[in-house]
Amino acid sequence: MKNKIRRIFIHNFEVFRILVAIAIAFSVIAVLVLLTSDDAAAVSYWFILGPITSIRRFGGVIELSIPFVLCGLSVAMMFQVNKFNLCSDGIFYVAMAFASIFALNLDLPPVVFPIVIILLCAVVGGLIALIPATLNIKFNASVVVCALMLNYVLQYLGRYILLYKVKDPALTYNGSEIFPDAATLSQFIPKTRIHTGVLVAIAAIIIIYWLLKATKLGFAIRLTGKNESFAKASGINVVATIMISQFIGGALAGIGGAVEVMGIYKQFRIDTLLGYGFDGLLIAVLGKNDPIKVTVAAVALAYLRQGAALVNSYTDIPLELVQVLQGMVVIFVAAEQLMAGLKHRMIVKESESIGGVHHV
């Protein structure tokens, strides 16, 4: 019986580790809430159960999951080859700007129109992501520094497009004209803003999973990330593989920006970075660059964000503490060494039982 329990624990260690991490995080959160709130029960209710108390609130989780999934996959693809390209945030933002240009200047039939815009923004995002990668490969420049600096360039490029290319002078705020209906993604669940972009996110998950797990290119990308020298010795064109992975990652961020502006805002009116690219970094790390795990991490983070927003709206907890609450959960879940010693001891005992080794 003990051996069976031990095997179950070893085979499902990651699940047990996350459950324990969440339990510890909520224990710490409970202490903080008791020290700072006059109604700890209400805080717990809104933070844990609030997002599923209505269709509208749960819809908020799904809405937020769409950009989280696409940005998480974007960062995961670029990290697959050990190139820490962090330009997804800037690409996401500038893709919104380019999507507004395409939406307001092209004239295409419904259904085809948003697909064309998404594909064009994917190309824009992919090409932008090649800039830090090229500088790194050709000139040995730090891909991290290049990408972070590029985010500022993309932010100001997006603001330039907003203020000088698409701004509607009739508005009292900085915003473009409303997109034509044919260029928007329809919302299909009443009382929510869930739009057909969710289908794009699902398609991206399936395609990236298939690409990484079932194609030669995916094998080359994974092998290059694990051991670049071995990949080169095996006949893989490492430079081409790196560039392809960066292009795909940038394309996903570009798709994310296009989907967000066509599905949620219906116009371009954002004059600053949204931070989704750095959320994607967190999601990719939590999901260990695996498409399925990245998806789970994206939905979980969206759920936490929605719960935190409800806590801020309906309780006496200040916004700063709300951010601490969601951060505590992320920190404990990301702590990979949590319970690592217990796992090691379990593996040792299991190997001893299988090999018939007994200590005197």
Side-chain angles (χ1 to χ4, degrees):
M1 185 65 180
K2 288 183 178 180
N3 290 341
K4 186 176 181 180
I5 294 174
R6 191 161 52 231
R7 292 190 191 101
I8 292 173
F9 176 82
I10 293 171
H11 291 157
N12 300 280
F13 170 74
E14 193 63 22
V15 175
F16 286 114
R17 186 189 70 80
I18 291 175
L19 290 175
V20 170
I22 291 173
I24 295 173
F26 275 102
S27 298
V28 175
I29 288 170
V31 174
L32 292 175
V33 169
L34 287 171
L35 292 174
T36 57
S37 175
D38 295 328
D39 192 354
V43 174
S44 301
Y45 173 79
W46 288 114
F47 190 61
I48 300 171
L49 299 177
I52 57 174
T53 54
S54 72
I55 293 177
R56 179 176 60 82
R57 290 173 185 137
F58 187 71
V61 176
I62 303 302
E63 294 158 23
L64 194 54
S65 295
I66 296 171
F68 279 3
V69 165
L70 291 169
C71 286
L73 290 174
S74 168
V75 176
M77 275 303 302
M78 291 192 277
F79 280 17
Q80 286 284 343
V81 290
N82 277 335
K83 295 298 180 183
F84 300 103
N85 195 337
L86 302 177
C87 63
S88 294
D89 199 34
I91 291 174
F92 187 97
Y93 177 68
V94 85
M96 297 174 73
F98 275 96
S100 68
I101 293 176
F102 300 141
L104 296 173
N105 291 279
L106 298 178
D107 185 13
L108 296 171
V111 181
V112 175
F113 205 167
I115 292 174
V116 170
I117 293 175
I118 288 171
L119 292 176
L120 288 173
C121 288
V123 173
V124 170
L127 292 175
I128 291 173
L130 293 180
I131 296 173
T134 301
L135 292 173
N136 175 253
I137 292 171
K138 293 293 185 182
F139 305 106
N140 199 31
S142 169
V143 69
V144 175
V145 173
C146 290
L148 291 176
M149 294 301 100
L150 182 59
N151 281 329
Y152 288 103
V153 175
L154 296 175
Q155 177 181 357
Y156 289 112
L157 174 60
R159 292 193 66 184
Y160 171 80
I161 293 173
L162 172 61
L163 296 175
Y164 298 102
K165 296 299 179 182
V166 298
K167 186 177 187 300
D168 184 354
L171 298 177
T172 57
Y173 58 90
N174 292 330
S176 71
E177 296 178 24
I178 302 296
F179 298 165
D181 289 341
T184 61
L185 298 174
S186 57
Q187 296 168 354
F188 60 94
I189 297 180
K191 299 181 180 180
T192 74
R193 295 192 300 172
I194 298 175
H195 52 82
T196 49
V198 70
L199 303 178
V200 177
I202 293 171
I205 296 164
I206 295 171
I207 291 171
I208 297 302
Y209 182 85
W210 169 79
L211 174 68
L212 290 175
K213 305 295 184 180
T215 67
K216 291 182 180 179
L217 174 60
F219 175 76
I221 289 172
R222 289 186 287 114
L223 186 59
T224 299
K226 290 179 180 178
N227 192 323
E228 189 173 316
S229 299
F230 182 74
K232 191 178 295 184
S234 301
I236 294 173
N237 188 333
V238 170
V239 172
T241 300
I242 290 172
M243 298 300 275
I244 290 171
S245 72
Q246 302 304 289
F247 182 88
I248 295 173
L252 288 165
I255 291 171
V259 165
E260 186 74 358
V261 75
M262 290 191 297
I264 296 295
Y265 300 105
K266 316 294 185 182
Q267 66 173 156
F268 183 43
R269 61 187 184 193
I270 312 298
D271 57 2
T272 187
L273 298 178
L274 295 173
Y276 285 145
F278 293 105
D279 288 327
L281 169 62
L282 172 62
I283 290 163
V285 171
L286 290 175
K288 298 181 179 178
N289 298 331
D290 178 83
I292 302 302
K293 293 178 181 177
V294 162
T295 303
V296 174
V299 176
L301 183 61
Y303 190 94
L304 284 177
R305 289 283 171 84
Q306 182 71 352
L310 292 171
V311 167
N312 186 51
S313 299
Y314 293 105
T315 71
D316 58 350
I317 293 291
L319 178 61
E320 292 77 12
L321 185 58
V322 168
Q323 294 171 341
V324 171
L325 299 186
Q326 62 182 351
M328 292 298 298
V329 176
V330 171
I331 288 171
F332 280 102
V333 171
E336 294 188 7
Q337 291 303 309
L338 181 67
M339 299 174 64
L342 177 59
K343 180 185 179 183
H344 176 72
R345 291 193 295 272
M346 288 287 191
I347 292 174
V348 170
K349 289 181 180 180
E350 179 66 13
S351 62
E352 289 176 349
S353 65
I354 293 174
V357 179
H358 297 284
H359 295 286
V360 178

